[in-house]
């Protein structure tokens, strides 16, 4: 059974879903939103979909290890970005440190907890050979390879990583906000956590940059430069006008974030977490 067949079988009867957008260090704001959801009792969903840094955060949320997971953002996240590596022609986002040291060992993510969770957790990946999205059901030790793959940002890292011997890139390239997938999988009550304002629209990436970032994988380069912005913006429109019977709640930044994608100041990262929590509370109060 391949990954996509497995996900279809597992999710056909599901109803609620949580989607967490990536965005590197902007994910600190999303972590604050998940902290709000956790403390207000919204801790279990039938389905969770996430990519990039959002997948790392969501993994701890699904496993019921929220406080340890939040520690990564509050205390360790700044060490993932190593800007001096750029001078030595090395990736300046250190995924070996993040996944192999922090997530596997220092703040261990329990595979057993993921297996016992009632939620089906899907890490969004981009297939390097096809440029298409793959929804990896995270339920065994391969979760660590999948997290490293989905966090493999163009230019900032090697750009891809292997899962079961197959190369995958950042899932945000092929399906940055997998709302349509959640609906196809039967979700009728969907919570979306964005890391950009609702008014934000993604612009296309220059084609030459795609060739530089993915010289070995032209399909990924094409997906990144020609389709990512279309898929992103289409997902926003779908969220505004969902099908009948589908309810979508969106949490998105209301104010400028104190972090960018590669912020290294830990105080600013902690401030983004706190802002995410407070703005989630503000947006929740404004809902019926």
């Amino acid at each position: 059974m391949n990954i996509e067949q497995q996900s279809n079988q597992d999710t056909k009867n599901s109803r609620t879903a949580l989607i967490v957008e990536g965005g590197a260090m902007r994910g600190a704001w999303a972590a604050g939103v998940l902290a709000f959801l956790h403390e207000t009792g919204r801790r279990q969903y039938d389905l969770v979909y996430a990519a990039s840094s959002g997948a790392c955060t969501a993994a701890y949320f699904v496993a019921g290890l929220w406080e340890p997971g939040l520690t990564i953002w509050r205390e360790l996240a700044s060490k993932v970005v190593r800007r001096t590596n750029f001078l030595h022609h090395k990736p300046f986002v250190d995924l070996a440190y993040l996944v192999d040291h922090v997530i596997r060992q220092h703040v261990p993510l329990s595979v057993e907890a993921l297996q016992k969770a009632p939620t089906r957790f899907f890490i969004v990946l981009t297939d390097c050979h096809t440029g298409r999205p793959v929804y990896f059901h995270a339920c065994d030790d391969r979760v660590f390879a999948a997290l490293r793959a989905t966090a493999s940002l163009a230019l900032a890292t090697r750009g891809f990583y292997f899962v079961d011997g197959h190369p995958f890139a950042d899932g945000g390239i092929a399906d940055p906000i997998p709302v349509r997938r959640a609906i196809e999988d039967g979700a009728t009550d969907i919570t979306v956590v964005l890391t950009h304002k609702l008014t934000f629209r993604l612009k296309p990436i220059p084609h030459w940059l795609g060739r530089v970032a993915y010289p070995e994988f032209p399909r990924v380069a094409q997906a990144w430069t020609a389709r990512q912005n279309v898929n992103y913006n289409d997902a926003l429109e779908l969220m505004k006008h969902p099908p009948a019977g589908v309810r979508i709640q969106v949490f998105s930044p209301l104010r400028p974030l104190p972090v960018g994608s590669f912020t290294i100041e830990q105080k600013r990262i902690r401030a983004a977490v706190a802002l995410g929590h407070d703005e989630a509370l503000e947006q929740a109060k404004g809902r019926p």
Side-chain angles (χ1 to χ4, degrees):
M1 181 183 299
N2 65 34
I3 292 173
E4 293 196 71
Q5 287 173 330
Q6 180 182 14
S7 69
N8 284 332
Q9 178 176 321
D10 287 340
T11 62
K12 61 183 179 180
N13 295 318
S14 298
R15 292 297 177 183
T16 61
L18 172 67
I19 296 170
V20 186
E21 184 185 3
M25 291 303 172
R26 298 178 66 88
W29 188 91
V33 176
L34 265 61
F36 167 79
L37 295 177
H38 184 271
E39 73 178 31
T40 54
R42 298 174 61 180
R43 302 177 185 179
Q44 292 186 358
Y45 296 82
D46 296 311
L47 299 164
V48 172
Y49 305 84
S52 191
S53 62
C56 297
T57 303
Y60 286 90
F61 186 86
V62 172
L65 300 169
W66 183 239
E67 285 303 324
L70 204 57
T71 299
I72 297 175
W73 282 108
R74 288 174 171 164
E75 300 179 11
L76 302 170
S78 62
K79 299 178 182 179
V80 175
V81 178
R82 305 176 188 269
R83 291 180 178 174
T84 56
N85 279 4
F86 185 77
L87 301 176
H88 303 287
H89 305 288
K90 296 180 180 179
F92 62 86
V93 173
D94 191 343
L95 295 182
Y97 169 77
L98 173 63
V99 178
D100 297 335
H101 175 69
V102 175
I103 297 178
R104 277 184 178 269
Q105 300 177 19
H106 190 67
V107 188
L109 173 67
S110 170
V111 174
E112 182 180 3
L114 286 176
Q115 292 171 335
K116 291 181 178 179
T119 298
R120 292 291 186 264
F121 174 38
F122 296 98
I123 298 173
V124 187
L125 306 173
T126 298
D127 189 312
C128 285
H129 293 321
T130 67
R132 297 181 63 81
V134 169
Y135 307 90
F136 177 84
H137 181 198
C139 61
D140 54 39
D141 284 337
R142 296 178 299 163
V143 63
F144 301 107
L147 288 175
R148 191 160 173 174
T150 197
S152 294
L153 304 175
L155 301 175
T157 71
R158 184 185 182 188
F160 66 95
Y161 197 71
F162 292 95
V163 182
D164 289 341
H166 191 93
F168 293 97
D170 174 12
I173 292 175
D175 195 354
I177 313 174
V179 177
R180 189 174 303 279
R181 174 68 184 209
I183 294 172
E184 290 174 353
D185 284 344
T188 55
D189 188 349
I190 303 172
T191 299
V192 181
V193 180
L194 301 178
T195 55
H196 294 84
K197 291 186 176 182
L198 270 176
T199 55
F200 174 79
R201 292 298 181 272
L202 192 61
K203 297 180 180 179
I205 303 294
H207 291 286
W208 68 266
L209 195 58
R211 292 192 293 270
V212 170
Y214 298 103
E216 300 174 74
F217 304 112
R219 296 290 181 87
V220 177
Q222 183 182 26
W224 189 39
T225 60
R227 296 201 302 273
Q228 184 191 39
N229 68 303
V230 174
N231 293 339
Y232 187 95
N233 299 335
D234 283 351
L236 293 177
E237 289 303 311
L238 178 59
M239 287 157 49
K240 288 170 58 178
H241 307 287
V246 175
R247 177 174 178 264
I248 299 179
Q249 297 182 329
V250 181
F251 293 96
S252 63
L254 303 176
R255 301 166 184 84
L257 298 189
V259 295
S261 296
F262 305 112
T263 295
I264 60 174
E265 293 82 7
Q266 193 62 57
K267 287 184 179 180
R268 292 172 60 187
I269 296 171
R270 282 196 292 268
V273 173
L275 182 64
H277 174 278
D278 293 347
E279 290 191 335
L281 174 61
E282 185 177 341
Q283 291 174 77
K285 285 182 176 179
R287 293 197 177 106

